[in-house]
Amino acid sequence: MSDIWSLGIQRLLSRVNSFYRSGSSKSKCKLFLCNAQQIGWIREDTANQLRQYPNVFIEQSDRFILSDHLNTYENRSEAVAKVLNDMRAKDSLKTLRGWRDELYLVKSAYSNPPLFAIERAAASAFGIRKYGAHLNGYVIDDDGTWRMWIGKRSKTKQTFPGMYDNLAAGGLSHDLTPTECMIKECGEEAQIPKELVVGKLKSVGAISNTYEDQDGIHVEGEFIYDLQLPTTFQPNNSDAEMEIFYLWTIPEVKEAIIKDDFKPNCGIVVLDFLIRHGFVTPEQG
């Protein structure tokens, strides 16, 4: 079983970091810079579209640069939004069909000031890092057995429909801190009462990954939270993003991970939980 487990975990980790594997488009991508800071990667499919907007995006040998005349957060955000709306009207990039009307902040690092805001659906086309907050919800039975709450995504979700997910998770929009985002998602995705969340939610770190698919390059940073819940708690979804919730034992969770049934970034959040709490060690898988 340990060999099967190891191969399954290797497959998961390769999948979530496919951009850095041999055969990816990385060697052919151009850097994307703003204010002399790298903020993303541009594949050729996106580059072909950006060349139509030379007043906004300047192409050099190995990079695209947001034009220097765009020198404030406001005018950069406005100029990029106009380009994206034009691309969307022309159906230039497939990823824009998933338009969210949700803005993400663009930064060279999380702690740096934002350079501009961009529509969430466009982030992968520019290889811009997206941030999210993910919750590992768990219970400990009276006999000491640990179990985790796992959600199954709706079959109508735009991304990864029908796959397993964390109890609650969401992208970090421009107006929320990670903890504010996590509290919001706890209410929206699992209907966890605030009295079970506020003051009990535990920030346990962050992980990052970069993968590539037909929509673009997904550079992700996930802020991770743990929350021990009462055994009497039952999650319910209020925004139709989850189909059902399961309360699984740790062996059941581990089996689902190696069967590739998890949304990949949620799978590594769960793997991080299992490692931190001693359910996965170098000696036993």
Side-chain angles (χ1 to χ4, degrees):
M1 177 65 182
S2 61
D3 288 343
I4 296 173
W5 165 261
S6 297
L7 289 172
I9 293 305
Q10 289 176 32
R11 191 167 57 248
L12 170 65
L13 297 178
S14 294
R15 187 177 180 187
V16 296
N17 281 304
S18 62
F19 184 63
Y20 294 108
R21 292 176 62 192
S22 174
S24 79
S25 71
K26 183 176 182 293
S27 63
K28 299 177 182 178
C29 288
K30 291 179 179 285
L31 305 177
F32 182 32
L33 282 79
C34 175
N35 199 30
Q37 302 170 62
Q38 185 185 355
I39 54 173
W41 298 91
I42 303 294
R43 283 196 320 198
E44 187 59 25
D45 53 346
T46 300
N48 282 334
Q49 302 304 321
L50 299 188
R51 293 181 182 114
Q52 300 177 38
Y53 307 93
N55 291 330
V56 178
F57 299 99
I58 310 300
E59 184 175 12
Q60 296 179 352
S61 59
D62 65 342
R63 63 194 61 193
F64 275 89
I65 299 173
L66 202 61
S67 178
D68 288 343
H69 80 270
L70 301 170
N71 53 15
T72 68
Y73 172 89
E74 289 77 16
N75 65 24
R76 291 172 186 145
S77 300
E78 181 180 1
V80 171
K82 286 181 178 178
V83 169
L84 292 177
N85 276 289
D86 190 55
M87 285 184 179
R88 184 188 183 196
K90 296 175 180 176
D91 197 25
S92 300
L93 291 173
K94 180 178 177 292
T95 187
L96 298 183
R97 297 174 188 172
W99 197 272
R100 304 285 192 96
D101 280 322
E102 184 178 346
L103 293 176
Y104 276 1
L105 294 178
V106 179
K107 307 175 181 182
S108 57
Y110 182 76
S111 59
N112 289 346
L115 297 164
F116 59 95
I118 194 170
E119 157 63 31
R120 176 177 179 174
S124 61
F126 292 85
I128 288 169
R129 182 173 293 278
K130 300 173 287 187
Y131 295 93
H134 289 243
L135 178 70
N136 292 299
Y138 67 101
V139 302
I140 304 177
D141 295 336
D142 291 340
D143 64 0
T145 299
W146 287 54
R147 293 186 289 167
M148 292 187 73
W149 279 110
I150 302 297
K152 185 175 184 181
R153 294 164 69 85
S154 166
K155 292 183 177 65
T156 61
K157 285 280 290 182
Q158 289 180 344
T159 57
F160 302 99
M163 299 194 78
Y164 295 126
D165 204 321
N166 306 123
L167 177 57
L172 198 61
S173 58
H174 72 291
D175 56 348
L176 294 176
T177 67
T179 300
E180 288 170 344
C181 176
M182 193 73 268
I183 292 172
K184 177 179 79 73
E185 296 296 339
C186 282
E188 290 180 357
E189 292 198 348
Q191 291 190 15
I192 307 176
K194 278 198 172 183
E195 59 267 23
L196 295 182
V197 178
V198 178
K200 299 178 181 179
L201 195 63
K202 183 179 292 185
S203 173
V204 293
I207 56 178
S208 61
N209 62 282
T210 305
Y211 69 93
E212 183 177 9
D213 64 15
Q214 60 184 356
D215 289 337
I217 302 161
H218 302 263
V219 187
E220 299 183 340
E222 318 294 0
F223 294 95
I224 308 174
Y225 294 82
D226 284 358
L227 179 64
Q228 183 178 349
L229 291 157
T231 56
T232 54
F233 170 74
Q234 175 65 51
N236 289 287
N237 183 240
S238 60
D239 60 8
E241 293 196 4
M242 290 291 181
E243 183 178 289
I244 193 171
F245 291 98
Y246 300 98
L247 186 56
W248 282 346
T249 63
I250 298 302
E252 289 172 321
V253 172
K254 292 171 72 172
E255 182 178 359
I257 289 178
I258 62 171
K259 285 184 175 178
D260 300 328
D261 290 336
F262 269 93
K263 180 174 181 280
N265 65 346
C266 298
I268 59 174
V269 168
V270 172
L271 178 61
D272 176 83
F273 177 91
L274 297 176
I275 293 170
R276 285 187 290 103
H277 291 284
F279 296 111
V280 175
T281 68
E283 291 76 26
Q284 51 98 24

